[in-house]
């Protein structure tokens, strides 16, 4: 049952993405422009820093630990899942030229 819910959620997400990608058609009716901006700045200077750092040694070592011996058997079965069937029609492409 949980798998069916996940599949339905994924299908719903696909529908939302489909609507956003194919159901909206924007036509530019007036060209935009950016404002003219003059910027003047003086160069900066990085501070001088003295830093003392410690050292780190990385290595490996072998240890013996007791671990359980676990055998796992999983039963599986096939199930039918009902998915939504949706037809998406994008808007007509106008003003392509």
């Amino acid at each position: 049952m949980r798998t069916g819910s996940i599949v339905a959620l994924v299908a719903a997400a696909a529908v939302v993405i489909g609507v956003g990608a194919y159901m909206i058609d924007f036509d530019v009716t007036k060209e935009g422009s950016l404002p003219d901006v003059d910027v003047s700045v003086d160069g900066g200077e990085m501070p001088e820093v003295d830093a003392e750092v410690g050292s780190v040694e990385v290595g490996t070592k072998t240890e013996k630990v007791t671990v359980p011996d676990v055998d796992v058997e999983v039963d599986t079965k096939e199930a039918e899942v009902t998915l939504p069937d949706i037809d998406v029609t994008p808007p007509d492409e106008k003003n392509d030229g």
Side-chain angles (χ1 to χ4, degrees):
M1 245 196 253
R2 187 166 276 256
T3 303
S5 298
I6 292 172
V7 170
L9 184 62
V10 169
V15 168
V16 170
I17 291 171
V19 167
Y22 295 109
M23 299 302 288
I24 299 172
D25 183 25
F26 292 104
D27 293 324
V28 178
T29 58
K30 182 179 176 184
E31 294 293 324
S33 64
L34 295 175
D36 292 327
V37 177
D38 293 328
V39 177
S40 176
V41 295
D42 294 329
E45 195 174 306
M46 294 295 293
E48 291 185 23
V49 177
D50 290 330
E52 294 181 22
V53 296
S55 64
V56 176
E57 293 182 22
V58 178
T60 61
K61 64 180 181 177
T62 304
E63 294 285 333
K64 287 188 178 186
V65 294
T66 303
V67 294
D69 182 18
V70 179
D71 294 325
V72 178
E73 292 183 24
V74 178
D75 294 331
T76 59
K77 66 178 181 178
E78 285 190 23
E80 284 192 28
V81 179
T82 303
L83 298 176
D85 184 25
I86 300 172
D87 294 326
V88 176
T89 304
D92 294 333
E93 294 184 18
K94 301 176 192 172
N95 302 328
D96 281 349

